[in-house]
Amino acid sequence: MKNILCNIVNPISPEEIQFLPKQVISIEESKISAITPLSEFQGRIDEDRSNEYALPGFIDLHTHLSQYYIRGLYEPALLPWLNKYVFPEEERSKNIEYAEKLSRDFFSAMLKAGTTTCVIYTAPFFSACDMAFEIAQETGIRALIGMTMMDMNCPENLPQNSHKTLEESILLYEKWHGKNAKLDYIFTPRFAPTCSLELMKEVVKYAIEHNAWIQTHLSENKEEIEMVKEIFGYKSYTEVYQKAGLLTQHSIFAHCIHLNDEEIKMLAENKCKIAHCPDSNFFLKSGEFPLQKIEEAGIEYGLGSDVGAGTSLNMLYHTKMMNYRQSDYPVLPAKALYHITLGSAKLLGVDEIIGSLEIGKEADIVFLKPPLNYPLKNNGISQLVFCGQEFSLTETLVAGRNKE
């Protein structure tokens, strides 16, 4: 057993963050076995972190491992950016040595940023995705990982065969599902412009039969939306996914910026999930996420870094951007922190295991030291959200083990 003295910042709801100063977190094996006020604690303190905050490990709901090295390479719109930087970079992951180094660097950076759970797109190669799983298992991080699927309208050096990309995705699912409690496969059709209706239907059929997760992109860029309408002939982007059967309670749609009211209703009725990526949306000038409408519709959402259009893996940075990217709808610190911790854990159906610091949950914990001029107190939570870059991350635990 390990006993750590610290100051707990614990998400309760989008409206409430609990601040518990001078608490001793006791960790036994992989779980939190006790949380005791220092004034009542009788045992031995193993680590004195009385000048640090302890938060649940952060959750990144949408990120691209294959794009980690191209952060900050700029084109002012999604489609030109994909063609100029993303597709050539993803092609490099066909080289297994390159894919291994990329995975090691990516997961190391994730943990150093305090992210303990992530939902990942890899390059469209079986070997690159399999390598990502191997390195994720080695580092001990929690992840849903999927090989990007494309079978049309993509560069000739990237996969275009419908049968092959589906077959390889199923092989990856069968290899990794159930092998490690921290890891699972997520089916990953990139987005409608590069995926045939037939491919998406086959993905959905298999995923529903096996209760598996699916992730894709939706309504990120106006030019992209027009492209989808031209390819498929439906009146909306969301209708394409509806026709494919992709609107499920285990589907995560990234971006969802330019949705009309009918599309929002479709997502809500089918209990779909959304990954909100404010930094990426700003970087590519894609538009403003309709946060208030999404909340009013009752759609579950969480925050994603969306690296590489997102410029940072630091999820505290993305909580700040969540507020900054709303023109007139304020996002309070409690809500922002909730959507990189307990909110995203609930969305993924793992809130009984992670997402908050509670007795019986896995000890996924991030320790942060504030600057000397930031006192450790309840309103310091606001400074965590808006000045997070000034806090020093001193340690990241996954299931009670140091993973920095």
Side-chain angles (χ1 to χ4, degrees), residues 221-283:
N221 172 276
K222 289 182 179 179
E223 184 181 351
E224 167 207 13
I225 295 167
E226 291 307 310
M227 184 179 179
V228 169
K229 289 180 180 178
E230 184 178 336
I231 292 170
F232 294 94
Y234 295 117
K235 63 181 179 180
S236 75
Y237 199 155
T238 306
E239 189 178 357
V240 174
Y241 289 147
Q242 181 189 48
K243 297 296 184 183
L246 204 60
L247 304 187
T248 80
Q249 64 180 347
H250 285 130
S251 296
I252 303 172
F253 296 95
H255 304 294
C256 299
I257 300 171
H258 305 288
L259 301 174
N260 60 40
D261 290 346
E262 180 61 29
E263 289 179 287
I264 290 174
K265 182 181 178 183
M266 291 163 68
L267 294 176
E269 288 177 346
N270 289 282
K271 299 181 180 179
C272 301
K273 315 299 192 277
I274 293 176
H276 173 31
C277 308
D279 183 47
S280 166
N281 296 344
F282 193 42
F283 181 76

Short mmCIF file of all heavy atoms in Angstrom, two decimals, residues 221-283:
data_model
loop_
_atom_site.label_atom_id
_atom_site.label_comp_id
_atom_site.label_asym_id
_atom_site.label_seq_id
_atom_site.Cartn_x
_atom_site.Cartn_y
_atom_site.Cartn_z
N ASN A 221 -16.13 20.73 -41.93
CA ASN A 221 -15.74 21.78 -42.85
C ASN A 221 -16.83 21.95 -43.92
O ASN A 221 -17.38 20.96 -44.41
CB ASN A 221 -14.39 21.38 -43.48
CG ASN A 221 -13.96 22.27 -44.60
OD1 ASN A 221 -14.38 22.07 -45.74
ND2 ASN A 221 -13.10 23.23 -44.30
N LYS A 222 -17.15 23.17 -44.29
CA LYS A 222 -18.24 23.41 -45.24
C LYS A 222 -17.96 22.81 -46.62
O LYS A 222 -18.86 22.28 -47.27
CB LYS A 222 -18.52 24.91 -45.34
CG LYS A 222 -19.16 25.48 -44.08
CD LYS A 222 -19.46 26.96 -44.21
CE LYS A 222 -20.13 27.49 -42.94
NZ LYS A 222 -20.40 28.95 -43.04
N GLU A 223 -16.72 22.90 -47.06
CA GLU A 223 -16.35 22.29 -48.34
C GLU A 223 -16.50 20.78 -48.29
O GLU A 223 -16.96 20.14 -49.24
CB GLU A 223 -14.91 22.67 -48.70
CG GLU A 223 -14.47 22.19 -50.06
CD GLU A 223 -13.03 22.55 -50.38
OE1 GLU A 223 -12.42 23.32 -49.60
OE2 GLU A 223 -12.51 22.05 -51.39
N GLU A 224 -16.12 20.20 -47.15
CA GLU A 224 -16.28 18.75 -46.94
C GLU A 224 -17.75 18.36 -47.02
O GLU A 224 -18.11 17.33 -47.63
CB GLU A 224 -15.70 18.40 -45.57
CG GLU A 224 -16.05 17.02 -45.03
CD GLU A 224 -16.03 16.97 -43.51
OE1 GLU A 224 -15.98 18.04 -42.86
OE2 GLU A 224 -16.07 15.85 -42.97
N ILE A 225 -18.62 19.16 -46.42
CA ILE A 225 -20.06 18.86 -46.42
C ILE A 225 -20.62 18.85 -47.84
O ILE A 225 -21.38 17.95 -48.22
CB ILE A 225 -20.81 19.88 -45.54
CG1 ILE A 225 -20.39 19.73 -44.07
CG2 ILE A 225 -22.33 19.69 -45.67
CD1 ILE A 225 -20.83 20.87 -43.19
N GLU A 226 -20.22 19.83 -48.63
CA GLU A 226 -20.67 19.88 -50.02
C GLU A 226 -20.16 18.68 -50.81
O GLU A 226 -20.86 18.14 -51.67
CB GLU A 226 -20.22 21.19 -50.66
CG GLU A 226 -20.93 22.42 -50.11
CD GLU A 226 -22.45 22.29 -50.14
OE1 GLU A 226 -22.99 21.92 -51.21
OE2 GLU A 226 -23.09 22.53 -49.10
N MET A 227 -18.93 18.26 -50.50
CA MET A 227 -18.35 17.10 -51.15
C MET A 227 -19.16 15.84 -50.84
O MET A 227 -19.46 15.02 -51.72
CB MET A 227 -16.90 16.92 -50.69
CG MET A 227 -16.15 15.80 -51.35
SD MET A 227 -14.45 15.72 -50.72
CE MET A 227 -13.81 14.31 -51.62
N VAL A 228 -19.58 15.70 -49.59
CA VAL A 228 -20.38 14.55 -49.17
C VAL A 228 -21.73 14.53 -49.89
O VAL A 228 -22.19 13.49 -50.37
CB VAL A 228 -20.58 14.55 -47.64
CG1 VAL A 228 -21.62 13.52 -47.21
CG2 VAL A 228 -19.26 14.29 -46.93
N LYS A 229 -22.36 15.69 -49.97
CA LYS A 229 -23.66 15.77 -50.66
C LYS A 229 -23.52 15.40 -52.13
O LYS A 229 -24.38 14.73 -52.71
CB LYS A 229 -24.23 17.18 -50.51
CG LYS A 229 -24.71 17.52 -49.10
CD LYS A 229 -25.26 18.93 -49.05
CE LYS A 229 -25.75 19.29 -47.65
NZ LYS A 229 -26.23 20.69 -47.57
N GLU A 230 -22.42 15.85 -52.76
CA GLU A 230 -22.19 15.56 -54.17
C GLU A 230 -21.94 14.07 -54.41
O GLU A 230 -22.43 13.48 -55.37
CB GLU A 230 -21.00 16.38 -54.67
CG GLU A 230 -20.72 16.23 -56.14
CD GLU A 230 -19.57 17.10 -56.61
OE1 GLU A 230 -19.28 18.11 -55.95
OE2 GLU A 230 -18.94 16.74 -57.63
N ILE A 231 -21.18 13.44 -53.50
CA ILE A 231 -20.83 12.02 -53.66
C ILE A 231 -22.06 11.13 -53.46
O ILE A 231 -22.32 10.21 -54.24
CB ILE A 231 -19.73 11.61 -52.66
CG1 ILE A 231 -18.41 12.30 -53.02
CG2 ILE A 231 -19.54 10.10 -52.65
CD1 ILE A 231 -17.34 12.14 -51.94
N PHE A 232 -22.82 11.41 -52.38
CA PHE A 232 -23.87 10.48 -51.98
C PHE A 232 -25.28 10.91 -52.38
O PHE A 232 -26.19 10.07 -52.42
CB PHE A 232 -23.81 10.26 -50.46
CG PHE A 232 -22.57 9.57 -49.98
CD1 PHE A 232 -21.47 10.28 -49.55
CD2 PHE A 232 -22.49 8.18 -50.00
CE1 PHE A 232 -20.30 9.63 -49.12
CE2 PHE A 232 -21.34 7.53 -49.58
CZ PHE A 232 -20.24 8.26 -49.14
N GLY A 233 -25.48 12.20 -52.60
CA GLY A 233 -26.78 12.66 -53.06
C GLY A 233 -27.84 12.82 -51.98
O GLY A 233 -29.02 13.04 -52.30
N TYR A 234 -27.45 12.72 -50.72
CA TYR A 234 -28.42 12.92 -49.64
C TYR A 234 -28.44 14.39 -49.22
O TYR A 234 -27.51 15.15 -49.49
CB TYR A 234 -28.08 12.03 -48.45
CG TYR A 234 -28.22 10.55 -48.76
CD1 TYR A 234 -27.12 9.70 -48.72
CD2 TYR A 234 -29.45 10.02 -49.12
CE1 TYR A 234 -27.24 8.34 -49.02
CE2 TYR A 234 -29.58 8.67 -49.42
CZ TYR A 234 -28.47 7.84 -49.37
OH TYR A 234 -28.60 6.52 -49.67
N LYS A 235 -29.50 14.78 -48.52
CA LYS A 235 -29.67 16.20 -48.20
C LYS A 235 -28.75 16.68 -47.08
O LYS A 235 -28.51 17.87 -46.93
CB LYS A 235 -31.12 16.49 -47.85
CG LYS A 235 -31.62 15.77 -46.60
CD LYS A 235 -33.09 16.10 -46.34
CE LYS A 235 -33.61 15.37 -45.10
NZ LYS A 235 -35.04 15.67 -44.85
N SER A 236 -28.22 15.75 -46.27
CA SER A 236 -27.32 16.16 -45.19
C SER A 236 -26.22 15.11 -44.98
O SER A 236 -26.37 13.94 -45.34
CB SER A 236 -28.08 16.37 -43.88
OG SER A 236 -28.44 15.13 -43.28
N TYR A 237 -25.15 15.54 -44.38
CA TYR A 237 -24.01 14.68 -44.04
C TYR A 237 -24.47 13.57 -43.09
O TYR A 237 -24.17 12.38 -43.28
CB TYR A 237 -22.95 15.55 -43.39
CG TYR A 237 -21.53 15.02 -43.36
CD1 TYR A 237 -20.46 15.92 -43.28
CD2 TYR A 237 -21.24 13.66 -43.38
CE1 TYR A 237 -19.15 15.48 -43.22
CE2 TYR A 237 -19.93 13.21 -43.33
CZ TYR A 237 -18.88 14.13 -43.24
OH TYR A 237 -17.58 13.69 -43.18
N THR A 238 -25.21 13.95 -42.07
CA THR A 238 -25.66 12.98 -41.07
C THR A 238 -26.55 11.91 -41.68
O THR A 238 -26.53 10.75 -41.25
CB THR A 238 -26.38 13.70 -39.92
OG1 THR A 238 -25.54 14.73 -39.40
CG2 THR A 238 -26.74 12.73 -38.80
N GLU A 239 -27.31 12.28 -42.70
CA GLU A 239 -28.19 11.30 -43.35
C GLU A 239 -27.38 10.18 -44.01
O GLU A 239 -27.83 9.04 -44.08
CB GLU A 239 -29.09 11.98 -44.38
CG GLU A 239 -30.16 11.05 -44.93
CD GLU A 239 -31.09 11.72 -45.92
OE1 GLU A 239 -30.95 12.94 -46.14
OE2 GLU A 239 -31.96 11.01 -46.47
N VAL A 240 -26.19 10.51 -44.52
CA VAL A 240 -25.33 9.48 -45.09
C VAL A 240 -25.01 8.42 -44.04
O VAL A 240 -25.12 7.21 -44.28
CB VAL A 240 -24.02 10.09 -45.64
CG1 VAL A 240 -23.07 8.99 -46.11
CG2 VAL A 240 -24.32 11.06 -46.77
N TYR A 241 -24.63 8.87 -42.87
CA TYR A 241 -24.32 7.93 -41.78
C TYR A 241 -25.56 7.19 -41.31
O TYR A 241 -25.50 6.03 -40.91
CB TYR A 241 -23.66 8.67 -40.63
CG TYR A 241 -22.24 9.13 -40.92
CD1 TYR A 241 -21.75 10.31 -40.37
CD2 TYR A 241 -21.38 8.39 -41.73
CE1 TYR A 241 -20.45 10.74 -40.61
CE2 TYR A 241 -20.10 8.80 -41.98
CZ TYR A 241 -19.63 9.99 -41.43
OH TYR A 241 -18.34 10.40 -41.67
N GLN A 242 -26.70 7.86 -41.37
CA GLN A 242 -27.96 7.19 -41.01
C GLN A 242 -28.24 6.05 -41.99
O GLN A 242 -28.60 4.94 -41.58
CB GLN A 242 -29.11 8.19 -41.02
CG GLN A 242 -30.45 7.56 -40.62
CD GLN A 242 -31.60 8.51 -40.86
OE1 GLN A 242 -31.70 9.12 -41.92
NE2 GLN A 242 -32.46 8.66 -39.86
N LYS A 243 -28.06 6.30 -43.29
CA LYS A 243 -28.30 5.27 -44.30
C LYS A 243 -27.33 4.09 -44.14
O LYS A 243 -27.67 2.95 -44.45
CB LYS A 243 -28.16 5.86 -45.70
CG LYS A 243 -29.17 6.95 -46.04
CD LYS A 243 -30.60 6.42 -46.07
CE LYS A 243 -31.58 7.50 -46.50
NZ LYS A 243 -32.99 7.02 -46.45
N ALA A 244 -26.14 4.39 -43.65
CA ALA A 244 -25.15 3.33 -43.42
C ALA A 244 -25.40 2.58 -42.12
O ALA A 244 -24.75 1.55 -41.87
CB ALA A 244 -23.74 3.94 -43.40
N GLY A 245 -26.31 3.09 -41.29
CA GLY A 245 -26.57 2.47 -39.99
C GLY A 245 -25.58 2.89 -38.92
O GLY A 245 -25.52 2.29 -37.84
N LEU A 246 -24.82 3.94 -39.21
CA LEU A 246 -23.71 4.33 -38.35
C LEU A 246 -24.14 5.10 -37.10
O LEU A 246 -23.33 5.31 -36.18
CB LEU A 246 -22.71 5.16 -39.15
CG LEU A 246 -21.27 5.22 -38.68
CD1 LEU A 246 -20.64 3.84 -38.67
CD2 LEU A 246 -20.45 6.15 -39.57
N LEU A 247 -25.38 5.52 -37.05
CA LEU A 247 -25.86 6.28 -35.89
C LEU A 247 -26.23 5.31 -34.77
O LEU A 247 -27.36 4.81 -34.71
CB LEU A 247 -27.05 7.16 -36.27
CG LEU A 247 -26.86 8.14 -37.42
CD1 LEU A 247 -28.08 9.04 -37.56
CD2 LEU A 247 -25.60 8.98 -37.24
N THR A 248 -25.28 5.02 -33.90
CA THR A 248 -25.50 4.08 -32.80
C THR A 248 -25.03 4.70 -31.49
O THR A 248 -24.32 5.71 -31.48
CB THR A 248 -24.74 2.76 -33.02
OG1 THR A 248 -23.36 2.95 -32.65
CG2 THR A 248 -24.81 2.30 -34.46
N GLN A 249 -25.39 4.07 -30.39
CA GLN A 249 -24.97 4.57 -29.08
C GLN A 249 -23.49 4.32 -28.81
O GLN A 249 -22.95 4.82 -27.84
CB GLN A 249 -25.82 3.94 -27.98
CG GLN A 249 -25.69 2.44 -27.84
CD GLN A 249 -26.57 1.88 -26.74
OE1 GLN A 249 -27.10 2.63 -25.92
NE2 GLN A 249 -26.71 0.56 -26.70
N HIS A 250 -22.85 3.52 -29.67
CA HIS A 250 -21.42 3.29 -29.55
C HIS A 250 -20.64 3.96 -30.67
O HIS A 250 -19.53 3.53 -31.00
CB HIS A 250 -21.13 1.78 -29.53
CG HIS A 250 -21.47 1.13 -28.23
ND1 HIS A 250 -22.24 -0.01 -28.15
CD2 HIS A 250 -21.18 1.47 -26.95
CE1 HIS A 250 -22.39 -0.35 -26.88
NE2 HIS A 250 -21.76 0.54 -26.13
N SER A 251 -21.21 5.02 -31.24
CA SER A 251 -20.53 5.76 -32.30
C SER A 251 -20.10 7.13 -31.78
O SER A 251 -20.90 7.86 -31.19
CB SER A 251 -21.46 5.95 -33.50
OG SER A 251 -21.80 4.71 -34.09
N ILE A 252 -18.83 7.46 -32.02
CA ILE A 252 -18.28 8.76 -31.62
C ILE A 252 -18.00 9.57 -32.88
O ILE A 252 -17.22 9.15 -33.73
CB ILE A 252 -16.98 8.60 -30.81
CG1 ILE A 252 -17.21 7.74 -29.57
CG2 ILE A 252 -16.43 9.98 -30.40
CD1 ILE A 252 -15.92 7.38 -28.83
N PHE A 253 -18.65 10.72 -32.98
CA PHE A 253 -18.48 11.60 -34.14
C PHE A 253 -17.66 12.82 -33.73
O PHE A 253 -18.05 13.56 -32.83
CB PHE A 253 -19.84 12.03 -34.68
CG PHE A 253 -20.65 10.89 -35.22
CD1 PHE A 253 -21.59 10.25 -34.43
CD2 PHE A 253 -20.47 10.43 -36.52
CE1 PHE A 253 -22.34 9.19 -34.91
CE2 PHE A 253 -21.20 9.36 -37.01
CZ PHE A 253 -22.14 8.74 -36.22
N ALA A 254 -16.56 13.04 -34.41
CA ALA A 254 -15.71 14.20 -34.10
C ALA A 254 -16.21 15.43 -34.85
O ALA A 254 -16.65 15.35 -35.99
CB ALA A 254 -14.27 13.92 -34.49
N HIS A 255 -16.14 16.56 -34.18
CA HIS A 255 -16.39 17.91 -34.70
C HIS A 255 -17.86 18.30 -34.66
O HIS A 255 -18.27 19.06 -33.81
CB HIS A 255 -15.78 18.09 -36.09
CG HIS A 255 -14.32 17.80 -36.12
ND1 HIS A 255 -13.40 18.58 -35.44
CD2 HIS A 255 -13.61 16.81 -36.69
CE1 HIS A 255 -12.19 18.08 -35.60
NE2 HIS A 255 -12.30 16.99 -36.35
N CYS A 256 -18.67 17.87 -35.62
CA CYS A 256 -20.11 18.16 -35.59
C CYS A 256 -20.39 19.65 -35.48
O CYS A 256 -21.22 20.09 -34.67
CB CYS A 256 -20.78 17.41 -34.43
SG CYS A 256 -20.63 15.62 -34.55
N ILE A 257 -19.74 20.44 -36.32
CA ILE A 257 -19.82 21.89 -36.21
C ILE A 257 -21.04 22.46 -36.94
O ILE A 257 -21.78 23.28 -36.38
CB ILE A 257 -18.54 22.54 -36.78
CG1 ILE A 257 -17.32 22.06 -36.00
CG2 ILE A 257 -18.63 24.06 -36.72
CD1 ILE A 257 -16.00 22.48 -36.62
N HIS A 258 -21.25 22.03 -38.18
CA HIS A 258 -22.24 22.69 -39.04
C HIS A 258 -23.53 21.88 -39.15
O HIS A 258 -24.12 21.76 -40.23
CB HIS A 258 -21.64 22.92 -40.42
CG HIS A 258 -20.36 23.69 -40.39
ND1 HIS A 258 -20.30 25.04 -40.10
CD2 HIS A 258 -19.07 23.28 -40.57
CE1 HIS A 258 -19.04 25.44 -40.14
NE2 HIS A 258 -18.28 24.39 -40.41
N LEU A 259 -23.98 21.32 -38.05
CA LEU A 259 -25.20 20.51 -38.06
C LEU A 259 -26.44 21.39 -38.07
O LEU A 259 -26.51 22.40 -37.36
CB LEU A 259 -25.23 19.62 -36.81
CG LEU A 259 -24.07 18.65 -36.60
CD1 LEU A 259 -24.21 17.97 -35.24
CD2 LEU A 259 -24.01 17.61 -37.71
N ASN A 260 -27.46 20.97 -38.84
CA ASN A 260 -28.75 21.66 -38.72
C ASN A 260 -29.56 21.00 -37.61
O ASN A 260 -29.15 19.99 -37.03
CB ASN A 260 -29.50 21.67 -40.07
CG ASN A 260 -29.79 20.26 -40.59
OD1 ASN A 260 -30.13 19.36 -39.83
ND2 ASN A 260 -29.66 20.06 -41.91
N ASP A 261 -30.71 21.56 -37.32
CA ASP A 261 -31.52 21.07 -36.19
C ASP A 261 -31.95 19.62 -36.39
O ASP A 261 -32.01 18.84 -35.43
CB ASP A 261 -32.75 21.96 -36.00
CG ASP A 261 -32.39 23.34 -35.48
OD1 ASP A 261 -31.24 23.53 -35.01
OD2 ASP A 261 -33.24 24.25 -35.54
N GLU A 262 -32.24 19.24 -37.62
CA GLU A 262 -32.66 17.87 -37.90
C GLU A 262 -31.52 16.89 -37.65
O GLU A 262 -31.73 15.79 -37.11
CB GLU A 262 -33.16 17.75 -39.34
CG GLU A 262 -33.62 16.36 -39.74
CD GLU A 262 -34.78 15.84 -38.91
OE1 GLU A 262 -35.60 16.65 -38.42
OE2 GLU A 262 -34.89 14.61 -38.76
N GLU A 263 -30.31 17.28 -38.02
CA GLU A 263 -29.15 16.42 -37.79
C GLU A 263 -28.89 16.24 -36.30
O GLU A 263 -28.58 15.14 -35.82
CB GLU A 263 -27.92 17.01 -38.49
CG GLU A 263 -27.97 16.90 -40.00
CD GLU A 263 -26.75 17.51 -40.65
OE1 GLU A 263 -26.66 18.76 -40.67
OE2 GLU A 263 -25.87 16.76 -41.11
N ILE A 264 -28.99 17.32 -35.56
CA ILE A 264 -28.80 17.24 -34.10
C ILE A 264 -29.84 16.30 -33.49
O ILE A 264 -29.53 15.46 -32.63
CB ILE A 264 -28.88 18.64 -33.47
CG1 ILE A 264 -27.65 19.46 -33.86
CG2 ILE A 264 -28.98 18.55 -31.94
CD1 ILE A 264 -27.70 20.91 -33.42
N LYS A 265 -31.07 16.41 -33.97
CA LYS A 265 -32.15 15.53 -33.48
C LYS A 265 -31.83 14.07 -33.79
O LYS A 265 -32.05 13.18 -32.95
CB LYS A 265 -33.48 15.94 -34.12
CG LYS A 265 -34.67 15.13 -33.65
CD LYS A 265 -35.94 15.59 -34.34
CE LYS A 265 -37.14 14.75 -33.90
NZ LYS A 265 -38.38 15.15 -34.62
N MET A 266 -31.31 13.80 -34.99
CA MET A 266 -30.95 12.43 -35.37
C MET A 266 -29.88 11.86 -34.45
O MET A 266 -29.97 10.70 -34.01
CB MET A 266 -30.48 12.40 -36.82
CG MET A 266 -31.57 12.67 -37.84
SD MET A 266 -30.93 13.13 -39.48
CE MET A 266 -30.18 11.58 -39.98
N LEU A 267 -28.87 12.65 -34.15
CA LEU A 267 -27.80 12.19 -33.26
C LEU A 267 -28.34 11.93 -31.86
O LEU A 267 -27.98 10.93 -31.22
CB LEU A 267 -26.68 13.22 -33.21
CG LEU A 267 -25.89 13.44 -34.50
CD1 LEU A 267 -24.87 14.56 -34.31
CD2 LEU A 267 -25.17 12.16 -34.94
N ALA A 268 -29.21 12.81 -31.39
CA ALA A 268 -29.76 12.68 -30.03
C ALA A 268 -30.64 11.44 -29.93
O ALA A 268 -30.54 10.66 -28.96
CB ALA A 268 -30.55 13.92 -29.66
N GLU A 269 -31.51 11.23 -30.92
CA GLU A 269 -32.44 10.10 -30.88
C GLU A 269 -31.72 8.77 -30.90
O GLU A 269 -32.20 7.78 -30.34
CB GLU A 269 -33.41 10.20 -32.05
CG GLU A 269 -34.44 11.30 -31.91
CD GLU A 269 -35.36 11.43 -33.11
OE1 GLU A 269 -35.04 10.84 -34.18
OE2 GLU A 269 -36.40 12.10 -33.00
N ASN A 270 -30.55 8.74 -31.54
CA ASN A 270 -29.79 7.49 -31.63
C ASN A 270 -28.70 7.36 -30.56
O ASN A 270 -27.90 6.43 -30.59
CB ASN A 270 -29.18 7.37 -33.02
CG ASN A 270 -30.22 7.09 -34.09
OD1 ASN A 270 -30.67 5.96 -34.23
ND2 ASN A 270 -30.63 8.12 -34.82
N LYS A 271 -28.70 8.31 -29.62
CA LYS A 271 -27.77 8.29 -28.47
C LYS A 271 -26.30 8.27 -28.92
O LYS A 271 -25.45 7.62 -28.30
CB LYS A 271 -28.07 7.12 -27.54
CG LYS A 271 -29.47 7.16 -26.95
CD LYS A 271 -29.73 6.00 -26.00
CE LYS A 271 -31.14 6.07 -25.44
NZ LYS A 271 -31.44 4.94 -24.53
N CYS A 272 -26.04 8.97 -30.03
CA CYS A 272 -24.67 9.07 -30.53
C CYS A 272 -23.84 9.95 -29.61
O CYS A 272 -24.37 10.74 -28.82
CB CYS A 272 -24.67 9.65 -31.94
SG CYS A 272 -25.62 8.69 -33.14
N LYS A 273 -22.52 9.83 -29.73
CA LYS A 273 -21.59 10.60 -28.91
C LYS A 273 -20.79 11.55 -29.80
O LYS A 273 -20.62 11.31 -30.99
CB LYS A 273 -20.62 9.66 -28.17
CG LYS A 273 -21.26 8.43 -27.52
CD LYS A 273 -22.28 8.79 -26.45
CE LYS A 273 -22.72 7.61 -25.60
NZ LYS A 273 -23.77 6.77 -26.19
N ILE A 274 -20.31 12.65 -29.20
CA ILE A 274 -19.55 13.65 -29.95
C ILE A 274 -18.22 13.91 -29.26
O ILE A 274 -18.15 14.04 -28.04
CB ILE A 274 -20.33 14.97 -30.08
CG1 ILE A 274 -21.57 14.77 -30.96
CG2 ILE A 274 -19.44 16.08 -30.66
CD1 ILE A 274 -22.45 16.01 -31.08
N ALA A 275 -17.16 13.99 -30.06
CA ALA A 275 -15.85 14.45 -29.60
C ALA A 275 -15.67 15.89 -30.06
O ALA A 275 -15.58 16.15 -31.26
CB ALA A 275 -14.74 13.57 -30.14
N HIS A 276 -15.67 16.80 -29.12
CA HIS A 276 -15.54 18.24 -29.41
C HIS A 276 -14.06 18.60 -29.41
O HIS A 276 -13.36 18.34 -28.43
CB HIS A 276 -16.31 19.03 -28.36
CG HIS A 276 -16.13 20.51 -28.42
ND1 HIS A 276 -15.90 21.19 -29.60
CD2 HIS A 276 -16.16 21.45 -27.43
CE1 HIS A 276 -15.80 22.48 -29.34
NE2 HIS A 276 -15.94 22.67 -28.05
N CYS A 277 -13.59 19.21 -30.51
CA CYS A 277 -12.17 19.49 -30.70
C CYS A 277 -11.94 20.97 -30.96
O CYS A 277 -11.68 21.39 -32.10
CB CYS A 277 -11.62 18.65 -31.85
SG CYS A 277 -11.99 16.88 -31.73
N PRO A 278 -12.03 21.81 -29.93
CA PRO A 278 -12.02 23.26 -30.14
C PRO A 278 -10.73 23.81 -30.72
O PRO A 278 -10.76 24.73 -31.54
CB PRO A 278 -12.28 23.82 -28.74
CG PRO A 278 -11.89 22.73 -27.79
CD PRO A 278 -12.21 21.46 -28.50
N ASP A 279 -9.58 23.27 -30.33
CA ASP A 279 -8.31 23.78 -30.84
C ASP A 279 -8.16 23.48 -32.32
O ASP A 279 -7.78 24.35 -33.12
CB ASP A 279 -7.15 23.17 -30.05
CG ASP A 279 -5.81 23.72 -30.47
OD1 ASP A 279 -5.69 24.96 -30.60
OD2 ASP A 279 -4.88 22.94 -30.67
N SER A 280 -8.48 22.27 -32.70
CA SER A 280 -8.41 21.87 -34.10
C SER A 280 -9.37 22.70 -34.95
O SER A 280 -9.03 23.15 -36.05
CB SER A 280 -8.75 20.39 -34.22
OG SER A 280 -9.01 20.03 -35.55
N ASN A 281 -10.58 22.92 -34.44
CA ASN A 281 -11.56 23.71 -35.18
C ASN A 281 -11.04 25.12 -35.45
O ASN A 281 -11.28 25.69 -36.52
CB ASN A 281 -12.88 23.79 -34.40
CG ASN A 281 -13.53 22.43 -34.22
OD1 ASN A 281 -13.20 21.47 -34.90
ND2 ASN A 281 -14.46 22.36 -33.29
N PHE A 282 -10.33 25.67 -34.48
CA PHE A 282 -9.77 27.02 -34.61
C PHE A 282 -8.59 27.02 -35.57
O PHE A 282 -8.46 27.90 -36.42
CB PHE A 282 -9.35 27.51 -33.22
CG PHE A 282 -9.05 28.98 -33.15
CD1 PHE A 282 -9.85 29.91 -33.79
CD2 PHE A 282 -7.97 29.42 -32.42
CE1 PHE A 282 -9.56 31.27 -33.71
CE2 PHE A 282 -7.67 30.78 -32.34
CZ PHE A 282 -8.48 31.71 -32.99
N PHE A 283 -7.74 26.01 -35.44
CA PHE A 283 -6.52 25.91 -36.26
C PHE A 283 -6.86 25.89 -37.75
O PHE A 283 -6.24 26.58 -38.56
CB PHE A 283 -5.74 24.65 -35.86
CG PHE A 283 -4.46 24.44 -36.61
CD1 PHE A 283 -3.32 25.17 -36.31
CD2 PHE A 283 -4.36 23.47 -37.60
CE1 PHE A 283 -2.13 24.96 -36.98
CE2 PHE A 283 -3.17 23.25 -38.28
CZ PHE A 283 -2.05 24.00 -37.97
#
